[in-house]
Amino acid sequence: VTDGIYSKVRHPMYLGSLVFAFGFFHILTGLRTAVCLEFLALQFVLDRIDREEQMLLMVFKDEYAQYMKRTKMLIPYIL
């Protein structure tokens, strides 16, 4: 699927999870703890994305590589 939200972001589910987690951490903890938890959550998600994209490249090859070139990973127009 490369249309709809997937035309702007390759991993919208992970983006939504991070936004939820960041808000949740700030509500339940202090600033320093929230930032530490956010860093850990981001590292976990980026590692997961890396492993998932390696698998997708093996399955879809050049088609997925082209999709990666034209679509940002998590933040539209930025990352």
Side-chain angles (χ1 to χ4, degrees):
V1 176
T2 59
D3 57 348
I5 187 81
Y6 292 98
S7 68
K8 305 288 184 211
V9 178
R10 292 193 310 263
H11 302 282
M13 182 181 74
Y14 293 132
L15 174 60
S17 296
L18 284 172
V19 169
F20 173 79
F22 286 10
F24 191 72
F25 296 152
H26 278 280
I27 289 171
L28 294 181
T29 66
L31 180 62
R32 288 182 185 171
T33 304
V35 170
C36 290
L37 291 171
E38 290 165 0
F39 177 76
L40 292 173
L42 183 60
Q43 289 300 314
F44 173 79
V45 167
L46 291 175
D47 181 60
R48 176 79 181 195
I49 287 172
D50 184 53
R51 287 185 279 136
E52 186 175 312
E53 287 193 333
Q54 293 304 315
M55 187 248 345
L56 289 166
L57 283 167
M58 287 187 336
V59 173
F60 296 107
K61 299 177 179 56
D62 290 337
E63 187 177 355
Y64 193 76
Q66 292 299 320
Y67 176 62
M68 288 174 73
K69 288 180 184 175
R70 70 176 182 269
T71 309
K72 297 297 182 183
M73 184 188 328
L74 285 173
I75 303 172
Y77 311 108
I78 299 172
L79 174 72

